Amino acid sequence: MKRIALYCQLLIFPLALCLPFVFAQHGKTDPRMQKQSFGKLPDGTQADLYILRNKNGMEVDITNYGADVVSIKVPDRHGKIEDVALGYDNLEGYIHDKAYFGATVGRYANRIAHGSFKLHGRVYTLPKNNGDNTLHGGTSGFNKRLWKAEDVSTPEAAAVQMSYLSKNGDQGFPGNLSVNVRFTLADDNSLKIEYAATTDKDTVVNLTNHSYFNLAGQGKGDILGQELQLHASRFTPVNANLIPTGQISPVKGTPLDFTRSTAIGARINADFEQLKLGHGYDHNFVIDGNPMRKMALAARAYDPGSGRVLEIWTTQPGIQFYSGNFLDGTVAGKGGVKYGRRSAFALETQHFPDSPNQPNFPTTELKAGRWFRSTTVYKFSTQ
Ligand code: BGC
């Protein structure tokens, strides 16, 4: 009997000692951060996919090609997880993408009129890729670059930092611009994006993320029944080229008034000039109470079907609400789904469009040696 007890002790003690390692190994099979290959660029360079997870089963996939958010998987009110971001299954899709699905947009998000701006008396000429305008940084914006990625996760949250050096003269912009974009997925179901950029020569900069959301799930029809609230009592009206006229106008009494939560489709076809010019909503809204660049709630979207809620908090002064008017069902996205007109919305936190040519707008100039910083949080919940 004694001998059996001794054998048991001899067996149990080492087993007990091994337990922490067994758990650690188990943890390794399901970490908060996982990295895998996302495919090869035409020159043979590999792009990677970073998979961030939190304790609620929320998952955000980000590739260092374009520092693109590839998918955002979040639960609905019954806990059913669905990918709410439009995109592609593979790198190939992002290489050919023209819609900026999930993209980090730079150097200058949104439009610059006539593909040119003046800074300190000198005229800078940019490639025109949107009629007479430069859109989202030019013909080869930051979304077409391979970024350097670093796992910067902490015990609290999975995080990845993307870095890119845009050389002096890149797409016509002055200064060597060094950019870092850090994505953090926290346990409160928020995805935080922190931007930092510095230059060695005075330049202009406007960075955003161009995720397209469908809170019912990507590929699940249009977003016209989803509700939106914008904490914006003013917007910047545009001309026929979607360039701001320079005015800052009240939304009150117009179909652009989203100060109360309203279905996106409720007034989208109203007989209103700004909606006709935008082919729907494609406007920059001025976020209320945010001139001090403090973190402010800019937008709240809600899908009555799934119960998913998306809140957008930002330090930026503006938010472009784009109702996916130019999606036309020709592009095959994830799982081969054709994304039709208004099958997603984008809410791009940013400085106002064409600011380098608009003396009335908050400046987008970044002085040599100084840092540009901004933060945007996409917070998901259910109702
Ligand atoms: C613009 C739209 C454009 C879309 C894709 C949005 O930021 O406001 O006009 O079609 O990006 O480029």
Side-chain angles (χ1 to χ4, degrees):
M1 207 51 194
K2 264 195 186 162
R3 202 174 274 180
I4 293 176
L6 185 71
Y7 282 148
C8 278
Q9 274 182 7
L10 283 175
L11 213 72
I12 288 165
F13 272 127
L15 264 179
L17 284 176
C18 282
L19 273 182
F21 296 102
V22 172
F23 280 121
Q25 283 306 315
H26 177 75
K28 262 189 199 157
T29 61
D30 185 21
R32 285 172 172 246
M33 163 76 77
Q34 223 177 306
K35 176 186 168 183
Q36 64 190 47
S37 167
F38 197 46
K40 289 209 162 110
L41 295 170
D43 71 359
T45 327
Q46 181 174 305
D48 294 315
L49 190 68
Y50 291 80
I51 301 168
L52 284 60
R53 292 196 180 91
N54 73 5
K55 67 168 194 202
N56 312 315
M58 181 174 167
E59 182 186 307
V60 175
D61 297 356
I62 298 163
T63 173
N64 61 332
Y65 180 76
D68 287 343
V69 176
V70 172
S71 54
I72 304 178
K73 295 173 188 159
V74 279
D76 69 4
R77 62 161 79 88
H78 304 297
K80 186 166 178 273
I81 293 187
E82 204 70 70
D83 184 355
V84 298
L86 271 56
Y88 308 97
D89 288 322
N90 50 39
L91 179 63
E92 191 74 10
Y94 289 93
I95 293 174
H96 299 294
D97 168 74
K98 291 196 173 73
Y100 299 83
F101 289 150
T104 292
V105 183
R107 284 192 193 192
Y108 198 96
N110 217 312
R111 292 173 172 82
I112 294 183
H114 311 300
S116 96
F117 68 95
K118 215 188 217 179
L119 187 64
H120 307 319
R122 187 171 156 192
V123 174
Y124 292 93
T125 307
L126 316 168
K128 295 177 183 174
N129 59 339
N130 175 251
D132 195 35
N133 310 319
T134 301
L135 176 66
H136 296 330
T139 41
S140 167
F142 285 177
N143 57 314
K144 298 293 177 195
R145 312 296 170 90
L146 191 68
W147 295 58
K148 203 170 124 267
E150 194 189 340
D151 178 354
V152 290
S153 302
T154 63
E156 287 75 44
V160 62
Q161 175 155 305
M162 304 282 173
S163 313
Y164 186 75
L165 174 66
S166 168
K167 297 271 176 63
N168 181 34
D170 185 5
Q171 299 291 294
F173 291 97
N176 290 297
L177 186 76
S178 169
V179 189
N180 299 324
V181 185
R182 181 183 286 228
F183 300 86
T184 306
L185 175 61
D187 280 338
D188 64 353
N189 286 3
S190 66
L191 172 66
K192 177 161 74 176
I193 310 183
E194 293 164 285
Y195 303 85
T198 192
T199 178
D200 59 2
K201 192 172 169 189
D202 293 1
T203 190
V204 295
V205 65
N206 190 23
L207 303 172
T208 194
N209 179 271
H210 208 299
S211 286
Y212 284 71
F213 299 99
N214 182 332
L215 296 181
Q218 63 86 28
K220 296 253 162 90
D222 68 48
I223 44 76
L224 298 175
Q226 298 181 18
E227 293 172 18
L228 179 68
Q229 182 175 22
L230 294 173
H231 293 275
S233 47
R234 294 174 303 157
F235 76 111
T236 52
V238 289
N239 67 21
N241 295 324
L242 293 181
I243 293 294
T245 60
Q247 291 160 292
I248 297 183
S249 302
V251 295
K252 205 174 166 65
T254 79
L256 278 78
D257 188 348
F258 280 92
T259 53
R260 285 180 192 194
S261 190
T262 309
I264 291 172
R267 301 158 302 177
I268 200 165
N269 296 318
D271 187 11
F272 185 70
E273 198 202 8
Q274 282 297 313
L275 285 177
K276 295 213 157 34
L277 293 172
H279 306 272
Y281 297 103
D282 199 350
H283 297 84
N284 168 63
F285 289 76
V286 180
I287 301 167
D288 287 338
N290 209 17
M292 300 316 288
R293 310 282 154 76
K294 293 239 173 74
M295 203 64 171
L297 180 61
R300 183 182 191 272
Y302 168 62
D303 172 36
S306 66
R308 289 193 187 87
V309 172
L310 164 62
E311 274 179 10
I312 302 186
W313 294 75
T314 189
T315 58
Q316 290 283 68
I319 188 163
Q320 180 87 8
F321 168 38
Y322 168 55
S323 51
N325 313 309
F326 301 121
L327 296 173
D328 59 5
T330 53
V331 176
K334 293 171 195 171
V337 174
K338 299 269 170 79
Y339 295 132
R341 190 163 193 237
R342 298 174 178 163
S343 60
F345 58 84
L347 288 164
E348 307 150 51
T349 57
Q350 57 180 296
H351 266 262
F352 305 173
D354 197 35
S355 295
N357 295 312
Q358 304 272 352
N360 287 343
F361 291 174
T363 182
T364 48
E365 185 183 342
L366 179 65
K367 296 250 181 241
R370 304 292 292 271
W371 281 90
F372 163 86
R373 287 184 203 280
S374 79
T375 303
T376 291
V377 173
Y378 300 106
K379 169 113 172 46
F380 292 89
S381 58
T382 58
Q383 177 185 314

